[in-house]
Amino acid sequence: MKYLFGILLLFSLSLQAQFQLSGIVKDANTTLPLAFATISSAGGAYTLSDVDGKFTINTLAPIREFTISYIGYDKKITTVENGKSFYLIALQQNTNNLQEVLIPRENPAVAIIRKAIALKEQNDPQKRISAFEFKCYNSLVITANPDSISAKIDTLITPKKSIKIDSSNYKFKKMIQNQHLFQTEKVSLYQYKNNHLKETILGSKMAGLKQPIYEILGFKLQSFSIYDSNYELFETKYNSPIAKDALKEYKYQLLDSTEIEGRNVYLIHFKNKKKNKVKGLEGVLYIDQNTFGIAKAIMRIKGVLDISGTHDFNFLPQENIWFPSKKSFKIVKGNNDDKLQLLGGTVQFEGDTEKDFKPRKKGASDFIYLFSKSANFEIQLNQPVELKKGAIALEISKEATDRNDEFWNTYRKDSLDIRSKRTYTVLDSISIKNNFERKLTIGRRLINGFIPAGPIDLDLRKFFSFNNYEGFRIGLGGTTNDRFSKTIRMETYTAYGTKDGTFKYNIGIGTRLSEPTNSWIGIAYTDDVREIASTVYAIEKRGFKIYDPRPFNISTFYNYKNWRAYFETKLIPKTESIWEVATAKVEPKFGYSYLVNGKSYTNYNMTTAMVSLKWSPFSDYMQTPTGRVEVEKRFPNFTFQLTKSITNGELNDFSFGKIDLKTEYEKKQLNGQKTSILVQGGYAFGDLPLTHLYSISPNNITKETIMQRITIAGKNSFETMFYNEFFSSEYLYFQIKHGFQRITLFKKVKPSFVFVTRIAWGNLHHAERHKGLEFKTLNQGYFESGVELNQIYKGLGLVGFYRYGPNGLLKLEDNIAIKLSYILDLGF
């Protein structure tokens, strides 16, 4: 039976192959690929070669011959041979014709592009049409072309003169003939209204997984609109070739004119003007000769990976506009030194490898590629659109993963070929056999700092740490997961300090009120220590770090025994918040007393109400059946926290309040540079002890020499400010960082230069009330600037900062801080 199945499989593959032709178009003299050559047949089949000169023709019936044409070259007609599916086409230059076409007195492409830019709003569906909706079918595969892989089994002679058989390519080809490496499909409803576009995933199917990986569904491969000022390709933004300032960045060449849907269009090639190693966006725009709207676009970036995106449009006569109809996206491995030439060499795509590149034999993995295609249908324009949860950019319906075969057969634009069908069967079987979904869950939780252990996730942050008060802090902690309960959450930890000799612990329980908004209510008790005057935003849960350098040299802590009741939710669009009522008994673990109302306090009670909220108004969110996820982080974002004492008597010794604000902004430039700005402030009013005021993250230790003060640099801390040097009851903090591209000094030495400036101003009311520490205030401001040389070698770096201004110190060397840095690159 298995032999019969194999024969049927090969027969089906051969039937499929005779209706599909592929090949590559090259220059006959230089052998360089010719991008965007026209391939057509008498039966109406039409396509273009891609930027690598490759093409594929799919027809419903066999064709006898096809024609290849290219400006500046002689047209060539190729006869289809029986049993042959791949063709190498070599075109000869026609220099007379080339000169007539390519050397105009002025560049007509620039005039066409200028007109297209001027009429952008008139041709942009999202500007022109008030509301629309359509459905979209998308498929994505990671696969390889079996025909491009050698099935030869090599024999190698080892140093011991024994024979080693290398069959990796042979085995890979056999596998890839039967299945893809990965495959997923989805059907979505797109709705547009009031300048907001929302995608609702109606159905999702991912080979090998019962539940999809939501991050893949939310991954943005290419921009929805070709008219965006910044065009996005593989989650990287590039200046659009029809942006307002595009003429400064791109050079354009008129390739040809052709017809799409009976309308005449220009073919215009664009390429970044910069001639450095960082290549910009390049490709071809098909521009309507009458409306100057985009009828088709091919966008591409070439580097270590070759990435290309194609947009197809249908012309709608009633609206006189081109509307999106199809999209495709492809990633193939780069790492080659071939050049591509256009129009007889007048335009060239440069190779991207270094001069010392040595040719090597290609392995099976070199032929793997990712390919995604989408088709739009059931398009409705200017009809009433019911847009629910408009603040959500992407929503996954609860039924999406439970769709039956009838659903998929209805919405698939093409029936699955036998290789795609087998992919689902094989990967589902492999996933079950190897418990892949379980391993995936473990991997996700490890990245976030947890180790799954049955119904409990152990917290890696609780295992081990060090500070100058506790010494080595050794502990164990964790929280329950969905295997324990989807509605009940319990969490606990315990820790022991080898230097202070005391145990700390926490225990809490909560219940989920709403899964879509991830709303929880709960209570918890904690007996632990915390750094004095540290600002903790409750909504910003501390991320997992393999190491945390700042606490190494902190000696001033306070103990707090704390009961709290909390409510956390993401109910409000684009926000997440925590609402809390807490009571705590506080005991400073250093010589300190607070004088207020004629009484000296060495420990005290505090009862407070607190709200902590983070708002990201410009980010895009994905609503999954299990909660909301930020799929595209945009800036600025804002964090707000208000804390207020709520009772007097035994549960509260002071009347006070605190207001904390923070905003972050980040700008990634197209050349790889990045600028980030952090603005943070706090205001404390009423009677508040030093333990709960502000110290603005100092990170310098009191030692005699610069070398003795070398420690690990923090993220946003003042590297030249000494611990407990300044305290404030109100402050304003400003930080700006500008990072440049990594520079190759040697083969393995590639530092990233970051220039940093930090400024802080603060004030302290009633400084005389705080006894036990000598400190200063920030009335005159604090200034430091420096350079970070990050990732010099395997994550290790070196930073240097200088302190200046009114709080500069008398000795020059005391103003200088040299630190080590370490950035862990997990490669995700």
Side-chain angles (χ1 to χ4, degrees):
M1 187 67 183
K2 66 179 181 180
Y3 297 109
L4 176 60
F5 177 78
I7 293 171
L8 290 174
L9 176 61
L10 293 173
F11 179 71
S12 299
L13 289 171
S14 65
L15 283 178
Q16 182 186 0
Q18 69 179 343
F19 303 120
Q20 177 176 297
L21 300 176
S22 61
I24 185 169
V25 183
K26 292 189 175 185
D27 181 291
N29 296 321
T30 65
T31 71
L32 296 177
L34 297 176
F36 313 119
T38 300
I39 299 95
S40 59
S41 71
Y46 171 87
T47 189
L48 287 180
S49 62
D50 63 16
V51 291
D52 298 309
K54 299 174 183 177
F55 67 89
T56 299
I57 302 178
N58 292 297
T59 62
L60 296 176
I63 58 176
R64 295 183 178 179
E65 61 184 23
F66 58 94
T67 303
I68 304 92
S69 59
Y70 197 73
I71 290 182
Y73 289 78
D74 291 328
K75 185 181 296 185
K76 186 171 185 178
I77 299 175
T78 300
T79 302
V80 176
E81 302 176 21
N82 290 333
K84 184 177 180 180
S85 60
F86 185 85
Y87 293 82
L88 175 60
I89 310 298
L91 299 184
Q92 290 285 351
Q93 290 190 33
N94 185 329
T95 54
N96 294 329
N97 186 33
L98 178 65
Q99 290 175 355
E100 292 176 4
V101 175
L102 293 182
I103 310 179
R105 294 182 179 179
E106 60 181 358
N107 187 353
V110 173
I112 296 168
I113 290 294
R114 189 177 286 114
K115 190 76 171 178
I117 294 172
L119 297 175
K120 273 178 64 174
E121 291 200 5
Q122 179 178 312
N123 289 305
D124 183 354
Q126 290 176 265
K127 300 290 186 182
R128 180 84 172 277
I129 302 172
S130 60
F132 60 76
E133 71 175 32
F134 60 85
K135 290 178 181 174
C136 175
Y137 168 79
N138 170 265
S139 66
L140 182 150
V141 297
I142 299 176
T143 188
N145 182 0
D147 294 336
S148 62
I149 304 168
S150 170
K152 181 181 177 182
I153 300 178
D154 294 332
T155 56
L156 306 173
I157 304 297
T158 68
K160 296 182 180 180
K161 296 184 179 181
S162 60
I163 297 177
K164 181 181 178 181
I165 297 177
D166 179 12
S167 61
S168 56
N169 279 14
Y170 175 81
K171 291 179 179 178
F172 183 75
K173 179 168 183 171
K174 287 297 182 183
M175 180 190 71
I176 211 68
Q177 283 177 335
N178 294 333
Q179 67 178 82
H180 302 302
L181 300 176
F182 177 77
Q183 177 174 281
T184 182
E185 299 175 274
K186 69 175 180 177
V187 175
S188 301
L189 172 66
Y190 282 86
Q191 296 174 296
Y192 176 79
K193 183 181 180 181
N194 298 328
N195 295 319
H196 182 78
L197 180 70
K198 179 182 178 181
E199 177 188 1
T200 302
I201 297 178
L202 306 176
S204 173
K205 191 173 185 181
M206 205 168 282
L209 297 170
K210 293 180 181 178
Q211 291 295 325
I213 302 173
Y214 293 129
E215 291 83 351
I216 291 180
L217 295 178
F219 201 68
K220 196 168 184 178
L221 297 176
Q222 59 194 125
S223 285
F224 173 82
S225 175
I226 198 68
Y227 291 96
D228 291 344
S229 294
N230 287 330
Y231 181 81
E232 192 164 352
L233 203 58
F234 202 46
E235 297 205 329
T236 302
K237 292 184 178 180
Y238 304 90
N239 201 31
S240 168
I242 52 171
K244 290 183 178 180
D245 59 346
L247 293 173
K248 297 179 181 179
E249 184 168 342
Y250 293 98
K251 55 183 178 182
Y252 301 89
Q253 180 68 55
L254 178 61
L255 298 179
D256 202 351
S257 63
T258 187
E259 286 188 1
I260 299 180
E261 296 188 17
R263 296 181 65 84
N264 294 326
V265 296
Y266 299 112
L267 274 71
I268 295 183
H269 172 261
F270 64 90
K271 182 182 179 181
N272 197 289
K273 291 180 178 178
K274 296 179 181 179
K275 295 182 178 180
N276 55 20
K277 290 186 178 181
V278 180
K279 300 296 187 294
L281 199 64
E282 56 190 349
V284 173
L285 298 176
Y286 295 63
I287 299 179
D288 190 301
Q289 294 185 15
N290 179 260
T291 67
F292 290 90
I294 307 300
K296 183 173 181 176
I298 300 171
M299 319 291 272
R300 191 252 194 151
I301 189 77
K302 184 180 181 182
V304 176
L305 294 174
D306 286 355
I307 306 171
S308 60
T310 301
H311 297 253
D312 287 283
F313 298 79
N314 286 336
F315 187 75
L316 305 179
Q318 291 183 344
E319 286 76 16
N320 195 37
I321 197 171
W322 291 89
F323 193 84
S325 61
K326 293 187 296 183
K327 283 197 304 186
S328 65
F329 175 89
K330 189 174 184 179
I331 300 178
V332 298
K333 190 172 182 180
N335 193 27
N336 63 76
D337 58 357
D338 291 338
K339 291 183 179 180
L340 286 84
Q341 64 179 29
L342 292 168
L343 306 177
T346 57
V347 180
Q348 289 189 348
F349 297 97
E350 300 295 334
D352 63 315
T353 54
E354 299 179 0
K355 292 181 180 180
D356 60 352
F357 173 76
K358 296 180 180 179
R360 62 176 176 82
K361 180 182 177 181
K362 285 191 174 183
S365 62
D366 291 287
F367 301 98
I368 295 173
Y369 64 88
L370 179 150
F371 182 70
S372 170
K373 63 178 180 179
S374 303
N376 303 336
F377 56 99
E378 296 182 13
I379 299 171
Q380 298 183 31
L381 306 180
N382 297 318
Q383 299 293 323
V385 172
E386 186 179 0
L387 196 61
K388 298 179 180 179
K389 299 179 183 177
I392 301 296
L394 175 61
E395 183 174 5
I396 303 173
S397 67
K398 291 184 178 180
E399 303 81 13
T401 59
D402 299 323
R403 299 299 188 181
N404 56 26
D405 290 341
E406 183 180 354
F407 173 89
W408 292 107
N409 292 334
T410 301
Y411 288 112
R412 283 188 184 115
K413 297 296 98 180
D414 300 302
S415 58
L416 292 182
D417 58 34
I418 195 164
R419 190 154 65 128
S420 297
K421 290 178 181 178
R422 183 167 174 79
T423 300
Y424 281 120
T425 303
V426 173
L427 292 188
D428 288 348
S429 175
I430 292 174
S431 177
I432 294 171
K433 181 179 179 180
N434 294 282
N435 202 11
F436 177 74
E437 290 197 83
R438 174 65 179 158
K439 292 177 180 177
L440 180 64
T441 300
I442 293 174
R444 281 175 166 177
R445 291 176 182 169
L446 279 172
I447 292 172
N448 291 315
F450 292 93
I451 300 176
I456 299 173
D457 291 341
L458 299 177
D459 193 340
L460 289 171
R461 296 169 298 183
K462 305 300 183 184
F463 285 166
F464 178 84
S465 62
F466 179 87
N467 62 66
N468 214 22
Y469 171 74
E470 295 177 281
F472 291 101
R473 177 177 169 126
I474 303 168
L476 182 68
T479 181
T480 58
N481 54 42
D482 288 351
R483 295 183 65 182
F484 174 82
S485 173
K486 291 187 176 181
T487 57
I488 300 295
R489 179 178 65 194
M490 300 177 66
E491 55 187 1
T492 185
Y493 70 79
T494 184
Y496 178 77
T498 58
K499 188 174 181 179
D500 68 339
T502 59
F503 282 94
K504 297 89 181 174
Y505 65 94
N506 161 273
I507 187 168
I509 185 171
T511 182
R512 175 179 274 162
L513 302 179
S514 170
E515 190 173 60
T517 61
N518 200 28
S519 298
W520 292 80
I521 188 170
I523 59 172
Y525 177 77
T526 305
D527 182 351
D528 206 341
V529 295
R530 180 178 292 169
E531 176 190 359
I532 68 168
S534 57
T535 301
V536 178
Y537 288 90
I539 195 61
E540 295 185 339
K541 294 181 173 61
R542 186 166 61 92
F544 170 60
K545 297 180 181 178
I546 290 180
Y547 74 101
D548 190 1
R550 271 202 75 249
F552 280 22
N553 301 294
I554 300 174
S555 301
T556 48
F557 286 78
Y558 65 90
N559 171 253
Y560 65 102
K561 296 178 175 66
N562 166 275
W563 277 101
R564 69 185 186 100
Y566 66 90
F567 170 67
E568 62 181 59
T569 184
K570 295 181 180 179
L571 177 64
I572 304 172
K574 300 201 173 188
T575 68
E576 48 186 317
S577 60
I578 293 179
W579 307 72
E580 178 183 288
V581 176
T583 181
K585 180 177 288 187
V586 178
E587 180 184 359
K589 291 299 182 180
F590 58 101
Y592 172 74
S593 61
Y594 182 47
L595 303 178
V596 63
N597 299 326
K599 185 177 179 181
S600 176
Y601 292 88
T602 56
N603 55 70
Y604 30 86
N605 297 317
M606 308 176 78
T607 300
T608 58
M610 182 269 291
V611 56
S612 185
L613 182 146
K614 185 171 184 178
W615 180 41
S616 303
F618 305 103
S619 293
D620 282 341
Y621 288 87
M622 172 172 60
Q623 183 70 52
T624 76
T626 58
R628 195 176 71 198
V629 180
E630 189 176 17
V631 290
E632 184 165 358
K633 188 174 184 178
R634 296 198 186 103
F635 296 92
N637 56 44
F638 307 90
T639 306
F640 166 81
Q641 187 162 287
L642 171 64
T643 308
K644 182 70 176 68
S645 59
I646 59 174
T647 185
N648 292 317
E650 292 184 2
L651 296 178
N652 195 32
D653 290 320
F654 314 119
S655 177
F656 64 90
K658 289 181 72 176
I659 300 173
D660 297 293
L661 295 166
K662 180 170 71 171
T663 181
E664 295 175 285
Y665 176 80
E666 187 176 289
K667 175 69 174 178
K668 292 183 179 180
Q669 300 180 20
L670 301 180
N671 59 8
Q673 299 184 43
K674 183 174 76 171
T675 302
S676 59
I677 297 173
L678 172 63
V679 180
Q680 187 170 317
Y683 176 71
F685 54 92
D687 301 323
L688 202 61
L690 196 69
T691 52
H692 289 68
L693 294 180
Y694 305 107
S695 65
I696 326 179
S697 296
N699 193 32
N700 204 9
I701 56 177
T702 308
K703 297 288 184 180
E704 287 295 324
T705 67
I706 295 175
M707 300 305 293
Q708 289 176 323
R709 294 195 297 268
I710 292 180
T711 56
I712 304 294
K715 183 179 180 182
N716 298 317
S717 53
F718 278 99
E719 303 302 331
T720 60
M721 184 186 291
F722 297 102
Y723 288 102
N724 302 327
E725 185 179 5
F726 297 93
F727 289 97
S728 304
S729 56
E730 55 191 60
Y731 80 98
L732 181 65
Y733 168 75
F734 174 83
Q735 173 186 272
I736 182 168
K737 290 185 176 184
H738 183 80
F740 294 87
Q741 292 175 288
R742 296 185 70 177
I743 299 174
T744 303
L745 299 180
F746 303 101
K747 187 174 182 180
K748 293 185 179 181
V749 179
K750 301 177 181 180
S752 169
F753 285 84
V754 181
F755 290 103
V756 185
T757 291
R758 299 186 179 101
I759 303 171
W761 172 89
N763 188 32
L764 179 61
H765 298 288
H766 305 296
E768 72 282 357
R769 295 179 178 179
H770 307 282
K771 304 297 182 181
L773 282 179
E774 293 186 7
F775 56 85
K776 297 180 286 187
T777 60
L778 288 170
N779 302 70
Q780 295 180 303
Y782 190 95
F783 306 85
E784 78 169 22
S785 296
V787 179
E788 298 178 355
L789 275 70
N790 296 320
Q791 296 177 286
I792 296 175
Y793 182 75
K794 292 186 177 181
L796 288 172
L798 189 67
V799 305
F801 282 86
Y802 181 72
R803 168 178 177 165
Y804 55 94
N807 278 297
L809 302 175
L810 294 177
K811 295 175 64 176
L812 176 65
E813 57 267 30
D814 290 341
N815 295 303
I816 299 173
I818 297 175
K819 305 288 180 72
L820 301 175
S821 68
Y822 185 77
I823 295 177
L824 179 65
D825 187 0
L826 295 175
F828 296 109

